[in-house]
Amino acid sequence: MGQRRRAGTVNTSSSQRFSGAPAQAARKHNICMVSDFFYPNMGGVESHIYHLSQCLIEKGHKVVIATHAYGRRKGIRYLTNGLKVYYLPLQVMYNQSTATTCFHSLPLLRCVFVRERITVVHAHSSFSAMAHDALFHAKTMGLNTVFTDHSLFGFADISSVLTNKLLTVSLCDTNHIVCVSYTSKENTVLRATLNPEIVSVIPNAVDPTDFTPDPSQRQDDRITIVVISRLVYRKGIDLLGGIIPELCLKHPDLHFLIGGEGPKRIVLEEVREKYQLHDRVRLLGALEHKDVRGVLVQGHIFLNTSLTEAFCMAIVEGASCGLQVVSTRVGGIPEVLPEDLITLCDPTVGSLCAGLETVIARQRSGFVPSPASIHAHVRNLYTWRNVAERTEKVYDQVAGEGVLPFNRRLQRLRAHCGPVAGSIFAFVAVLDFLFLLFLQWLVPDRVMDIAVDATGPHGLWRQETSSINRTHLKPAIKREAERENISQ
């Protein structure tokens, strides 16, 4: 586990089946991505779902997204390329995660699954109660399921114990699980007591066209360290609060540019006030995704102080913009970038300061790769098309697997989750099944309107766009032909 793996070659023994010869037929799937976390909320999970969905649509699959309502954003919305999003009226409990009783979401999710003729339900994030609900209901309805875990959890504190038990119940009969790094895979397999053969490693990615270097935005009379992160405990903001005064005292030309928001912002404000660093430490607050590159290209060094991380997309974005990267050596971070593009440190103030001192000295001497060469190295390491291709092969595999019959599902719950928790959740599964039978009697599947496909093999979005383009192009083509005849 401690052995470093070469960045850019993330794969597993089970996922090697997804990197070999292509499937014998180009099977198309109707996929429903489900998570509490999606736009307009900003974060790594939200970005992952959106970009993966767009690439799957590009490959000819039908994709819809189900999430909870965000303020006034309710009902059905369409995003780029006909990506349909269901913002369902579910009550948020904490940190954008919905309250769950495992039953109130069944009528809504059943409506989405039936109307959209879903064949694969792909849930995201252990933190999402809606994702766990969707897995539970999809299995009751006989649908294939895939789960992507984006985070690392511990084993000792009470919140981790409860989350791990819920994950064990959700994943014990899920067809396939995807993790974003080897460390994340090991963590998930241990937490949910899974067979490693059904867990694959498919990393996150970054769109390199969104994060290109621009050295002209840097100020040559200073060295700027950029930090872009949620200002919360697990992102190591307390470490950052110790680093800033120590380095600013040693280097008068050092400046910090910090983007992000969260409860730990007060720590940075207190440090800035105590050491009178208002002109050298800028707190930018929450950033929209479109503004992140504009902040990154102003810096020379990107600093990540996370205490736990499954796969840190921020360091890839920083490297893609040509910055030197300094990060804590935690979780899956050592797997992400090659050794010549990142300086890894222990999660302590002293170790991070020493790593930053080394990179600052290298920056002053000029012995650093150019931003353009760093970008060229990073741009092909992680691409969304590669992620989509490997995820597509996961779908192809699970589509050929059968869903456990209900009696065997109850046996699996009791055997896998323990006599107490297993019996409780087996009883919940029975109630869920009875509730589904009641809903099917009340509103049979055959009388539910089938939704018009915006994407997929029968998608009308591109067809309508093409017909509109042809309608507008015909006069232009005719005029062009007339001009050619006249010139002849």
Side-chain angles (χ1 to χ4, degrees):
M1 182 171 176
Q3 184 179 3
R4 181 182 175 121
R5 299 172 176 87
R6 185 165 63 89
T9 60
V10 183
N11 209 334
T12 65
S13 58
S14 60
S15 63
Q16 284 171 358
R17 296 191 298 272
F18 310 137
S19 58
Q24 63 274 22
R27 183 183 302 189
K28 301 304 177 186
H29 305 281
N30 293 349
I31 305 150
C32 183
M33 305 280 185
V34 185
S35 181
D36 281 311
F37 310 113
F38 192 65
Y39 299 147
N41 198 50
M42 299 301 297
V45 177
E46 294 84 345
S47 176
H48 181 104
I49 295 172
Y50 175 78
H51 285 101
L52 176 59
S53 299
Q54 290 292 342
C55 289
L56 289 170
I57 289 172
E58 187 180 83
K59 293 175 76 65
H61 301 285
K62 174 181 176 177
V63 184
V64 300
I65 295 172
T67 186
H68 66 74
Y70 281 87
R72 296 176 60 186
R73 187 170 295 201
K74 302 175 182 177
I76 298 173
R77 301 292 179 96
Y78 285 89
L79 304 183
T80 306
N81 293 327
L83 177 59
K84 184 189 292 188
V85 185
Y86 284 85
Y87 289 96
L88 303 179
L90 298 172
Q91 183 63 43
V92 174
M93 181 177 62
Y94 172 72
N95 198 23
Q96 294 302 338
S97 185
T98 52
T100 178
T101 62
C102 219
F103 298 111
H104 71 298
S105 58
L106 177 57
L108 293 170
L109 290 173
R110 171 182 174 251
C111 181
V112 174
F113 296 161
V114 173
R115 292 188 73 245
E116 301 290 348
R117 292 169 289 188
I118 297 301
T119 57
V120 178
V121 174
H122 190 164
H124 292 261
S125 182
S126 300
F127 290 107
S128 172
M130 189 174 175
H132 293 293
D133 277 7
L135 290 176
F136 205 78
H137 300 324
K139 296 163 195 171
T140 303
M141 295 176 64
L143 301 176
N144 290 302
T145 51
V146 177
F147 178 78
T148 296
D149 200 358
H150 297 262
S151 304
L152 299 178
F153 279 83
F155 298 88
D157 58 286
I158 186 64
S159 63
S160 295
V161 170
L162 293 175
T163 304
N164 293 345
K165 179 55 71 174
L166 178 60
L167 193 71
T168 302
V169 172
S170 293
L171 301 188
C172 72
D173 51 353
T174 297
N175 292 98
H176 207 87
I177 295 90
V178 176
C179 295
V180 294
S181 67
Y182 278 101
T183 302
S184 175
K185 174 183 175 178
E186 293 165 358
N187 182 261
T188 301
V189 166
L190 290 173
R191 285 161 51 208
T193 58
L194 295 171
N195 176 6
E197 289 297 314
I198 67 166
V199 185
S200 297
V201 176
I202 303 177
N204 284 320
V206 169
D207 187 348
T209 60
D210 288 343
F211 296 94
T212 54
D214 185 3
S216 66
Q217 298 299 313
R218 297 177 175 178
Q219 298 190 37
D220 296 331
D221 61 341
R222 64 182 61 173
I223 291 179
T224 303
I225 296 176
V226 177
V227 179
I228 297 181
S229 168
R230 290 196 302 276
L231 304 184
V232 296
Y233 170 76
R234 76 179 190 90
K235 294 295 184 180
I237 304 306
D238 295 291
L239 293 176
L240 181 60
I243 292 166
I244 290 173
E246 185 170 334
L247 289 182
C248 284
L249 184 64
K250 293 181 180 179
H251 303 279
D253 61 342
L254 190 65
H255 288 67
F256 283 83
L257 202 56
I258 303 171
E261 196 58 78
K264 285 291 183 177
R265 180 187 174 111
I266 188 66
V267 173
L268 303 179
E269 290 178 341
E270 287 174 350
V271 168
R272 187 172 63 172
E273 187 69 32
K274 180 178 179 180
Y275 295 95
Q276 295 298 299
L277 297 172
H278 296 83
D279 59 332
R280 298 175 62 186
V281 178
R282 289 177 57 196
L283 300 178
L284 305 177
L287 297 174
E288 293 189 20
H289 189 263
K290 63 183 177 64
D291 299 324
V292 171
R293 177 193 174 265
V295 175
L296 288 172
V297 295
Q298 298 178 48
H300 301 82
I301 301 168
F302 183 84
L303 174 62
N304 172 60
T305 57
S306 292
L307 301 178
T308 176
E309 202 77 66
F311 182 102
C312 186
M313 294 178 68
I315 64 175
V316 183
E317 294 170 352
S320 184
C321 286
L323 279 69
Q324 298 291 305
V325 177
V326 178
S327 176
T328 48
R329 187 188 291 105
V330 297
I333 289 177
E335 305 172 31
V336 177
L337 290 174
E339 293 181 356
D340 57 333
L341 296 183
I342 187 171
T343 300
L344 294 171
C345 311
D346 294 330
T348 64
V349 171
S351 180
L352 284 165
C353 284
L356 285 166
E357 292 269 19
T358 301
V359 176
I360 290 170
R362 201 184 303 152
Q363 190 74 41
R364 293 190 196 283
S365 66
F367 290 110
V368 293
S370 68
S373 65
I374 297 175
H375 174 77
H377 195 167
V378 171
R379 65 178 300 165
N380 295 321
L381 286 179
Y382 303 105
T383 65
W384 285 113
R385 285 185 174 86
N386 178 261
V387 172
E389 181 180 345
R390 294 162 73 173
T391 305
E392 181 183 43
K393 291 175 182 178
V394 172
Y395 296 153
D396 289 341
Q397 183 195 346
V398 302
E401 298 176 357
V403 179
L404 279 179
F406 189 67
N407 62 327
R408 289 187 57 197
R409 184 184 174 201
L410 298 181
Q411 294 172 2
R412 177 76 63 85
L413 283 168
R414 296 191 64 187
H416 193 79
C417 304
V420 178
S423 299
I424 292 172
F425 280 99
F427 178 68
V428 173
V430 170
L431 294 180
D432 196 52
F433 179 70
L434 294 175
F435 189 30
L436 176 64
L437 292 179
F438 171 73
L439 292 174
Q440 290 174 337
W441 170 80
L442 191 66
V443 184
D445 291 357
R446 66 179 183 277
V447 303
M448 296 179 71
D449 290 336
I450 299 301
V452 175
D453 290 351
T455 60
H458 308 291
L460 300 179
W461 191 275
R462 293 183 184 275
Q463 295 176 19
E464 290 178 358
T465 304
S466 299
S467 64
I468 291 172
N469 290 338
R470 286 194 297 271
T471 302
H472 286 83
L473 283 173
K474 281 179 181 177
I477 293 171
K478 186 177 180 180
R479 287 193 299 270
E480 185 66 28
E482 289 172 351
R483 281 197 297 270
E484 287 180 359
N485 291 332
I486 291 172
S487 64
Q488 291 174 355

